Amino acid sequence: MGVSVKEAMQIGGLVNCKVVAGEKGLHRTIDYITVMEVPDVIRWLKGNDLLLTSLYPIKDDPEAIGKLVQQLHDVGSSALAIKTERYVKQIPEVIIEAGNRLGFPIIEIEDEVSYLDIMTPLMELRLNKSDLGKEQLEKFFQWITELAMGGKGIPALIEAVQQMTENIITVGSEVPALEGISWRKVVSPLTRAQKNELRIAKRSIRMDRVLDDQITPCIVTPLLLNDELYGDVTCWQTKREFVERDFLVLDRTVLLMALEFLKVITRTDVEQTFKDDFLSEVLTGNVVDKAEIIEKGKMFNWNLSKDYQVFVIAYSNSAQPIVKHENEALWFQERKRKLLLKVNDIFRFDVQKAIITVRKELIVVLYHRELAAEAGMLPYTTDPNNGAIMDLAESARRQLSQEFEELSFTVGVGRFYQGLEGIHQGYKEAVKAIQLGKPISGKTGCVHYEDLGIFRVLGQVNDWKEMEELYSETIGKLVEYDWSNNASLMVTLREYFANNCSLAETAEKLFVHVNTMKYRMQKIEQVTGCSVHDAEKRLLLHMGLKIDQILQSGNV
């Protein structure tokens, strides 16, 4: 049970404060007390709130100040108490006017009165008023704890909470092994914005969601593990309106739900480790007995006698992460787990799933070529243009980028081969596409091994002694000359080859005169001893540039 604003003005620190507007609303009931620390605090309010603020978060935003009282009134808040002197000398007239017009109490907090002077006495009074419900709540908490410790599982917990709240309870899950429970109700999934809202709030908040095609008020409690959202517990207003104890019930229940989720996640992690270790032999080509490997694969419901298209996904922090994390290692571990869940969801068709494994911070996807062809996702035979394959890779990259904005992704694709040996070869090529694709060809996002061109050959070289000597005899001389003379012969030569050896087009791209280009080409010939008019020498220069790109990429 709450207290009226009028009663509150006779308690604790509010005794030394005064109502400066909206006296007609003194009958409003206060159930919650909130401090305004961020500009968009309105979204976190539950209704019947007393909002305490210095106006600091919006002091330089006249529009936000002008809308504040109306917004509080619209969400069913009780009163606004503003601390003056520190950031605002007096309560803005626009707030006074809105308070009187809406009958919404505006309270001025004296400078010497702290927020705690107001909050503590009011909370004590409210707790004393709710003593009659304490015993019932404690019995309920004991009951659900016994259910959880007794291994009754999530359905039993939901049933108990439904009895307590008298409303429908559903559980949403982002863990495939732990499907959400909706009691034959059609529940709209949380939107991306709603998920972000829950991650930020880290507590139960009011929302409007769709239940059985009807927009329904609800309380949504996030199920967080290491600050990652793995699910939600939602109480739908289907029978009675919400009261404060519903929030307490959900907050306590979600802790027990989290234990159930943690059991499943831990079991999934262990199973994933076994999968990773097993597939490591296949990916590295260390298969001694193919029949034995195929038989072992059946333990995970894999049919390794079929043919697979290999995708490899590399991920890393963006140059400027959206959020700084205190424990970067733990955060990245959780990101990896959520990534695996999302990748599993993306590479799924009908009842079949792709084989997903992790190797050296890369996510490897073995996509069943035959089943994908039957589903119309990929051609079974070789696709000359690799169009469908790259469309699928780009779709996956785009979905991952949207879900994990703080990470950047590159997808490498190998050529399609058959059998276990084909998995090994496709994996090698997909990794090479990632290693060489972005730094060498400048491609980002998705790279197919076939698009590497001559680098497919250079990337296979194991002994680089001859290559380095060729580089030193040609391009290495240009690099040294440019450094010593502050010149740009390397850039000139690259552009020359990029423009099909056209002096005019290269001059236009470099914004220089054709005569300047002629002089630079003569200088290149003088420094390297290689003429671009000699086919053999021109090839040496071209190869030298390619070797330079590989050396610069660090993939030797």
Side-chain angles (χ1 to χ4, degrees):
M1 294 177 62
V3 297
S4 69
V5 178
K6 186 174 183 179
E7 287 179 289
M9 295 304 298
Q10 308 302 316
I11 300 167
L14 286 177
V15 171
N16 299 316
C17 302
K18 59 183 177 182
V19 178
V20 296
E23 289 86 353
K24 293 181 179 179
L26 291 176
H27 63 280
R28 293 174 181 245
T29 300
I30 298 173
D31 283 324
Y32 308 99
I33 307 167
T34 303
V35 177
M36 185 179 188
E37 298 173 328
V38 293
D40 56 350
V41 70
I42 306 298
R43 69 169 65 184
W44 314 122
L45 300 180
K46 302 175 182 179
N48 292 346
D49 308 85
L50 167 61
L51 183 66
L52 310 179
T53 182
S54 63
L55 290 182
Y56 176 76
I58 58 173
K59 64 182 179 66
D60 299 319
D61 188 344
E63 183 179 357
I65 291 175
K67 292 180 178 179
L68 181 59
V69 176
Q70 183 67 57
Q71 290 175 327
L72 291 173
H73 174 74
D74 291 344
V75 298
S77 294
S78 306
L80 171 64
I82 300 174
K83 193 175 182 66
T84 54
E85 296 300 332
R86 177 168 292 187
Y87 298 112
V88 292
K89 291 300 181 183
Q90 59 186 18
I91 297 176
E93 187 60 36
V94 65
I95 288 180
I96 299 291
E97 185 277 327
N100 286 327
R101 174 167 47 82
L102 298 171
F104 188 89
I106 308 297
I107 303 166
E108 183 174 3
I109 304 175
E110 296 296 329
D111 188 45
E112 66 274 7
V113 178
S114 70
Y115 290 157
L116 285 178
D117 291 337
I118 296 172
M119 298 171 72
T120 304
L122 284 178
M123 292 302 295
E124 289 177 352
L125 177 64
R126 290 187 60 255
L127 288 174
N128 289 334
K129 282 195 171 191
S130 62
D131 276 344
L132 292 176
K134 280 185 179 180
E135 184 177 351
Q136 183 185 10
L137 276 176
E138 287 305 319
K139 287 182 179 179
F140 170 75
F141 293 148
Q142 181 180 353
W143 177 31
I144 61 172
T145 301
E146 290 173 355
L147 288 174
M149 296 301 102
K152 301 300 182 182
I154 292 176
L157 291 174
I158 292 177
E159 191 170 342
V161 178
Q162 286 189 153
Q163 290 184 33
M164 190 66 175
T165 62
E166 301 177 50
N167 282 315
I168 290 174
I169 302 293
T170 62
V171 174
S173 171
E174 298 196 10
V175 182
L178 215 171
E179 299 295 340
I181 300 174
S182 57
W183 300 107
R184 297 192 182 93
K185 297 291 182 179
V186 179
V187 178
S188 66
L190 290 167
T191 65
R192 189 161 157 240
Q194 288 172 330
K195 289 180 181 179
N196 287 335
E197 194 173 354
L198 288 169
R199 288 190 190 101
I200 295 171
K202 298 181 181 180
R203 61 180 175 85
S204 301
I205 56 178
R206 289 178 181 264
M207 285 185 179
D208 288 326
R209 296 176 63 190
V210 178
L211 177 71
D212 286 343
D213 298 324
Q214 295 291 325
I215 297 177
T216 307
C218 57
I219 303 172
V220 184
T221 306
L223 202 155
L224 297 165
L225 295 171
N226 294 324
D227 285 339
E228 283 296 322
L229 184 68
Y230 280 94
D232 66 274
V233 180
T234 301
C235 180
W236 303 85
Q237 188 171 292
T238 52
K239 189 172 182 181
R240 66 162 174 80
E241 292 188 359
F242 299 129
V243 295
E244 181 189 2
R245 77 174 186 184
D246 293 333
F247 289 88
L248 298 175
V249 166
L250 290 169
D251 286 338
R252 181 72 70 92
T253 303
V254 80
L255 297 176
L256 300 175
M257 295 278 192
L259 291 177
E260 298 297 324
F261 271 65
L262 192 57
K263 290 177 189 175
V264 175
I265 291 170
T266 302
R267 186 167 64 247
T268 302
D269 284 350
V270 172
E271 184 178 293
Q272 184 64 49
T273 300
F274 281 121
K275 291 178 179 179
D276 297 341
D277 292 343
F278 170 68
L279 281 173
S280 177
E281 299 179 32
V282 178
L283 296 177
T284 56
N286 296 324
V287 176
V288 178
D289 188 332
K290 289 194 288 186
E292 182 182 0
I293 290 292
I294 291 172
E295 190 61 31
K296 284 184 177 179
K298 294 178 181 178
M299 294 188 302
F300 303 111
N301 295 319
W302 296 339
N303 188 347
L304 294 177
S305 66
K306 298 293 184 179
D307 303 322
Y308 292 88
Q309 175 70 52
V310 181
F311 300 84
V312 173
I313 303 170
Y315 58 95
S316 61
N317 271 326
S318 299
Q320 294 181 330
I322 295 174
V323 182
K324 292 286 186 181
H325 301 272
E326 294 181 6
N327 191 332
E328 198 72 15
L330 181 60
W331 174 81
F332 218 72
Q333 179 183 345
E334 289 297 331
R335 292 277 84 183
K336 183 190 293 186
R337 182 182 290 133
K338 292 302 290 291
L339 274 170
L340 281 172
L341 293 175
K342 184 63 179 177
V343 171
N344 268 289
D345 184 56
I346 291 171
F347 287 92
R348 180 203 298 254
F349 47 91
D350 296 332
V351 296
Q352 298 293 332
K353 297 180 183 178
I355 297 175
I356 313 291
T357 185
V358 178
R359 180 169 171 77
K360 296 181 180 179
E361 300 304 319
L362 298 172
I363 298 177
V364 183
V365 180
L366 307 184
Y367 202 49
H368 199 313
R369 190 73 180 227
E370 185 177 353
L371 289 173
E374 291 174 0
M377 301 292 290
L378 290 177
Y380 183 69
T381 55
T382 302
D383 177 9
N385 299 315
N386 298 315
I389 295 171
M390 297 309 289
D391 286 346
L392 182 58
E394 176 56 30
S395 174
R397 189 202 63 80
R398 186 172 58 252
Q399 291 180 62
L400 289 170
S401 298
Q402 290 172 349
E403 185 79 14
F404 304 94
E405 294 178 339
E406 69 279 19
L407 298 178
S408 58
F409 297 90
T410 303
V411 182
V413 184
R415 289 177 292 193
F416 172 56
Y417 300 94
Q418 296 180 325
L420 286 177
E421 297 88 347
I423 293 175
H424 165 58
Q425 187 64 27
Y427 168 71
K428 279 203 321 180
E429 292 183 357
V431 171
K432 191 64 70 174
I434 289 175
Q435 291 176 339
L436 299 181
K438 183 176 179 180
I440 290 176
S441 66
K443 294 196 174 201
T444 58
C446 299
V447 186
H448 197 288
Y449 181 74
E450 287 190 348
D451 294 337
L452 297 180
I454 189 63
F455 292 108
R456 284 153 43 191
V457 177
L458 296 178
Q460 300 300 323
V461 175
N462 294 321
D463 184 0
W464 269 78
K465 184 178 179 180
E466 289 297 330
M467 290 289 187
E468 289 175 346
E469 286 185 9
L470 189 152
Y471 169 80
S472 299
E473 292 168 3
T474 55
I475 300 303
K477 293 178 181 179
L478 286 185
V479 172
E480 186 176 342
Y481 181 88
D482 281 350
W483 186 84
S484 300
N485 297 276
N486 193 27
S488 56
L489 297 184
M490 279 283 287
V491 173
T492 299
L493 187 60
R494 281 202 189 95
E495 283 295 329
Y496 179 72
F497 283 128
N499 288 281
N500 297 315
C501 302
S502 168
L503 284 175
E505 290 183 19
T506 307
E508 185 178 349
K509 286 288 178 64
L510 294 176
F511 302 103
V512 298
H513 195 274
V514 173
N515 289 336
T516 302
M517 271 299 303
K518 291 178 180 179
Y519 168 77
R520 289 185 183 179
M521 297 310 296
Q522 290 172 358
K523 196 66 181 177
I524 289 171
E525 181 176 350
Q526 178 185 339
V527 171
T528 64
C530 297
S531 171
V532 294
H533 302 296
D534 183 309
E536 290 293 329
K537 298 296 184 181
R538 184 168 64 243
L539 177 61
L540 288 178
L541 287 174
H542 212 162
M543 290 292 290
L545 285 175
K546 301 297 184 184
I547 294 169
D548 176 69
Q549 287 177 273
I550 294 179
L551 292 173
Q552 294 299 324
S553 73
N555 284 291
V556 177

